Amino acid sequence: MPLPTDTDVSTPKHLRDKYAIVGVGETPYTRGSGMTTRALGTWAVRNAVLDAGLTAADVDGMLSYQSGDSTFAPFIAGDLGMRLNFYMDVFGGGSSTEALMGMAMGVIEAGLCRTVVIFRAMNGYSQVRIGGTGARSAAPVSGDTLHSRAYGWQSAGQMFSFTFMRHMYDYGTTPAQVAAVRATHSAHASNNPKAYYKQRVTVEDVLASRIICKPLHLLDCCVETDNATAIIVTSAERAKDLRHPRALIRAVAGRVCKPRADMHYQAGPISTVAGRYAREILWPNAGVGPQDVDVTGSYDAFTFTTMLQLEDYGFCKKGEGGGYVSDGTIRLGGRRPNNTSGGHLCEGYTHGMNMVIENVRQLRHDVDDSCPVGPDGRRRHTYDYSEGGCRQVKSCEVTANLGWANPGTGSAMVMRRD
Amino acid sequence: MSLRVDDLDNENVAYFKHCAEHSFHLQQCGDCKLRRYPPTTACPWCMSREAGWVPVEGKGAVHSYTEVHHAIQPAFREYTPYLILLVDLDTQKGEPTADEALRVVGNLVTPDGKLAPPELVRTVGIGTRVRMVFSDVSPGLSLPQWTIDESAAQPDKPWRYPQE
Ligand SMILES: [Zn+2]
């Protein structure tokens, strides 16, 4: 479909490989953490600092995002005895992880600090759920929400379903093709000891589960969990002295794709999402293309958000996303596995961060699966992807993370192994 | 569900004042003349702050839809499954580019403004011709809604999600 010609691909390439992710950490994925988001966040940030081989004194920047459901950076910093030179808590959705990577790079580039930790802490099951359920479902409706919630149009699934329904109409995409995303991610989760749902499901299981809002079945939707996640960014130069092989950041992009930043329903072809526009700066800046990517992490709040992004970022032709996600390509052992941890659909819902953490571990060749651990403390990967086995992708060199906040807003990041 | 328009939300106050009179008005840009929905504080096409309210015909075709089986808001639970429609208005369709339209949200309702029963829900899909009606939801507040346009030629078979 025709697209606006206002794309700017002039953003800087001099940041390529200049920054790296050196530490990642998370808490267990539970439904009922029994602690505050502040305690969860502190735990995840501490794990990331230890993972990098750093101390609290080494971290001088902190960024977080939330949607009125979490704690703030200064509390975490205070609890861990960090003295920050820069911090920022932003209001954001699922594309914030990659966007905040860009912000972290920017504040280090500007000399405001040297090492930045990004965290997301949420009791996404036991306290504030993303879909506006619980007390929020009966909250008063006013102003702009009279154009949505007054029509019983509130949860993410309800909001995004128009996009997918129109994609089915435009391209003949089938529910079974898209259900393959869940089946695939569940197979990945079955090899992930920390996944909340480890049970493998089939396409038939997804299609037989109850309809939430067409075209979404229950098993097309992600698993809401309580957890916190954290990622540490520093210069590639400084990263050389740290514990792990560097996950070098090739490029980040964060784009609003239309003249209007609304839910994308008022303008343009609605079955085309922000990735179509973000890709125009992502790939030139990264200096690689979709064909060079070994592992993708495509935001799977729903099965179809994964498919729409993979398609619009150019991993297949427009309209062929259904075939791409169901032909074996995105499976462990396939040409380009997607969400090897099980993602939001199965591992746990972290609002975007766990897919980046997983790809960092893939690039380190150090995914924490069920393979035996050698005397050096590192796993001896078998590359056998049967149930309960390995999930490390062989020779993983380049990864892409595709973050989704809504159809009209998207952020992405490309990383490579040192 | 308690519904209200905030006094300071001038754009929505004006929009719903017309709705209360069962009249559909949209903002029209004072400079580029394009109309827009929902109400905004500037023109998304040219950034102009100048806008007036103009009457717009409430007719169009369903661009996309979702059929909600699991209602989140308590007020909708007794009506499941209900339809939320995204309707391309005939007015300004294909402007300012071939892929654009004024797309207006609403539920499928009966001609007297009640949420449509399941047998009606099952007949509507992408391409169905609809016309606007108003549901009076509280004193002074009416919501624009959509009902099947009996006077329009309907597609042989509107496109529906393939599984029931
Ligand atoms: Zn204008």
Side-chain angles (χ1 to χ4, degrees):
Chain A
M1 289 197 178
L3 294 157
T5 53
D6 60 352
T7 283
D8 175 8
V9 294
S10 64
T11 53
K13 295 169 184 64
H14 67 270
L15 296 176
R16 192 184 289 170
D17 292 345
K18 199 171 169 187
Y19 295 95
I21 293 177
V22 294
V24 293
E26 70 255 86
T27 66
Y29 301 103
T30 68
R31 287 189 149 185
S33 67
M35 61 181 81
T36 60
T37 53
R38 173 169 164 176
L40 286 169
T42 301
W43 184 1
V45 169
R46 178 180 178 277
N47 283 350
V49 171
L50 295 175
D51 177 63
L54 294 169
T55 67
D58 296 316
V59 177
D60 58 358
M62 189 178 286
L63 307 173
S64 86
Y65 67 97
Q66 57 157 311
S67 41
D69 58 359
S70 189
T71 188
F72 298 100
F75 294 137
I76 307 287
D79 285 1
L80 290 170
M82 290 175 174
R83 194 163 291 161
L84 303 178
N85 295 327
F86 186 89
Y87 75 92
M88 185 64 63
D89 294 293
V90 303
F91 188 91
S95 64
S96 300
T97 309
E98 293 81 2
L100 287 183
M101 292 295 161
M103 193 185 211
M105 288 160 61
V107 296
I108 304 172
E109 184 78 9
L112 296 177
C113 48
R114 297 179 69 202
T115 302
V116 177
V117 62
I118 300 167
F119 79 87
R120 174 78 173 106
M122 56 199 289
N123 277 319
Y125 180 78
S126 66
Q127 286 187 315
V128 184
R129 296 174 70 168
I130 291 276
T133 53
R136 292 203 290 182
S137 69
V141 178
S142 68
D144 277 346
T145 55
L146 284 164
H147 302 278
S148 51
R149 289 175 53 193
Y151 296 106
W153 191 39
Q154 171 162 350
S155 71
Q158 293 166 2
M159 300 301 272
F160 303 160
S161 281
F162 291 142
T163 308
F164 179 39
M165 198 69 101
R166 185 73 195 189
H167 192 279
M168 295 173 73
Y169 171 82
D170 286 337
Y171 303 110
T173 311
T174 69
Q177 287 176 321
V178 178
V181 173
R182 176 58 178 254
T184 304
H185 292 189
S186 76
H188 298 172
S190 76
N191 293 1
N192 177 2
K194 62 187 178 359
Y196 186 81
Y197 282 142
K198 298 184 189 66
Q199 174 78 40
R200 289 191 174 196
V201 301
T202 64
V203 166
E204 292 68 35
D205 292 334
V206 178
L207 298 180
S209 64
R210 71 185 166 92
I211 292 272
I212 299 298
C213 57
K214 281 181 185 173
L216 293 177
H217 305 79
L218 180 66
L219 293 183
D220 284 304
C221 306
C222 68
V223 50
E224 295 164 292
T225 52
D226 299 345
N227 61 80
T229 37
I231 297 172
I232 298 178
V233 183
T234 194
S235 70
E237 190 57 35
R238 183 167 160 74
K240 276 185 189 160
D241 304 327
L242 299 179
R243 271 182 65 196
H244 296 288
R246 299 179 298 176
L248 294 165
I249 299 170
R250 295 289 291 182
V252 295
R255 286 202 97 181
V256 171
C257 75
K258 287 293 178 180
R260 301 187 57 156
D262 62 20
M263 291 298 286
H264 187 47
Y265 303 122
Q266 306 306 330
I270 68 163
S271 59
T272 291
V273 296
R276 173 62 187 81
Y277 306 87
R279 86 176 192 216
E280 296 183 352
I281 54 177
L282 182 74
W283 300 125
N285 287 347
V288 299
Q291 70 282 355
D292 302 307
V293 173
D294 299 307
V295 176
T296 53
S298 180
Y299 200 89
D300 58 349
F302 304 100
T303 48
F304 73 85
T305 58
T306 305
M307 181 207 69
L308 284 172
Q309 295 213 99
L310 287 167
E311 180 180 279
D312 276 345
Y313 278 96
F315 289 96
C316 61
K317 288 201 187 107
K318 185 65 196 170
E320 296 179 1
Y324 180 81
V325 298
S326 59
D327 69 3
T329 304
I330 68 166
R331 246 186 256 143
L332 276 169
R335 165 68 188 91
R336 190 178 299 112
N338 183 67
N339 289 6
T340 54
S341 69
H344 291 143
L345 288 169
C346 301
E347 183 182 48
Y349 188 69
T350 70
H351 222 184
M353 286 192 66
N354 57 335
M355 271 95 75
V356 173
I357 290 175
E358 175 73 1
N359 282 358
V360 168
R361 291 188 175 130
Q362 286 285 356
L363 291 169
R364 291 174 178 176
H365 299 175
D366 195 22
V367 155
D368 50 342
D369 54 23
S370 301
C371 293
V373 177
D376 60 354
R378 292 178 64 83
R379 293 203 182 273
R380 298 286 180 267
H381 290 291
T382 61
Y383 308 108
D384 166 14
Y385 304 124
S386 61
E387 188 165 358
C390 186
R391 74 171 205 283
Q392 175 67 51
V393 173
K394 212 170 185 177
S395 315
C396 177
E397 296 295 323
V398 180
T399 64
N401 280 96
L402 319 174
W404 164 295
N406 65 47
T409 318
S411 298
M413 174 168 65
V414 176
M415 292 185 285
R416 77 169 173 91
R417 181 180 165 87
D418 198 355
Chain B
M1 197 170 1
S2 90
L3 303 176
R4 61 183 163 75
V5 193
D6 192 306
D7 283 349
L8 297 179
D9 188 353
N10 293 314
E11 296 77 19
N12 277 310
V13 167
Y15 175 86
F16 284 105
K17 195 164 112 350
H18 290 293
C19 291
E21 294 160 3
H22 290 203
S23 168
F24 187 57
H25 281 60
L26 291 178
Q27 286 165 301
Q28 180 169 35
C29 177
D31 289 322
C32 75
K33 307 299 177 197
L34 287 169
R35 280 144 291 195
R36 59 193 194 244
Y37 167 87
T40 54
T41 55
C43 176
W45 307 110
C46 75
M47 291 207 307
S48 173
R49 288 195 61 198
E50 301 304 318
W53 291 90
V54 293
V56 173
E57 188 188 32
K59 287 201 168 176
V62 174
H63 184 82
S64 195
Y65 74 96
T66 184
E67 185 181 304
V68 181
H69 288 240
H70 177 88
I72 287 174
Q73 285 125 311
F76 284 84
R77 280 186 195 141
E78 62 180 297
Y79 297 102
T80 56
Y82 64 93
L83 282 190
I84 311 169
L85 305 176
L86 187 63
V87 173
D88 283 343
L89 295 186
D90 297 337
T91 302
Q92 204 173 294
K93 188 168 163 60
E95 289 182 78
T97 76
D99 287 307
E100 319 285 344
L102 281 168
R103 294 184 186 136
V104 177
V105 175
N107 298 118
L108 179 71
V109 298
T110 58
D112 61 351
K114 303 237 171 19
L115 278 174
E119 56 275 18
L120 194 55
V121 161
R122 280 193 290 272
T123 67
V124 171
I126 292 177
T128 300
R129 297 286 315 178
V130 289
R131 66 179 173 89
M132 187 175 281
V133 294
F134 288 87
S135 298
D136 298 321
V137 288
S138 60
L141 186 60
S142 300
L143 291 178
Q145 297 283 24
W146 295 104
T147 197
I148 293 172
D149 187 350
E150 311 85 348
S151 66
Q154 294 291 347
D156 286 345
K157 207 170 171 240
W159 185 91
R160 298 266 305 155
Y161 178 84
Q163 294 200 327
E164 290 303 328

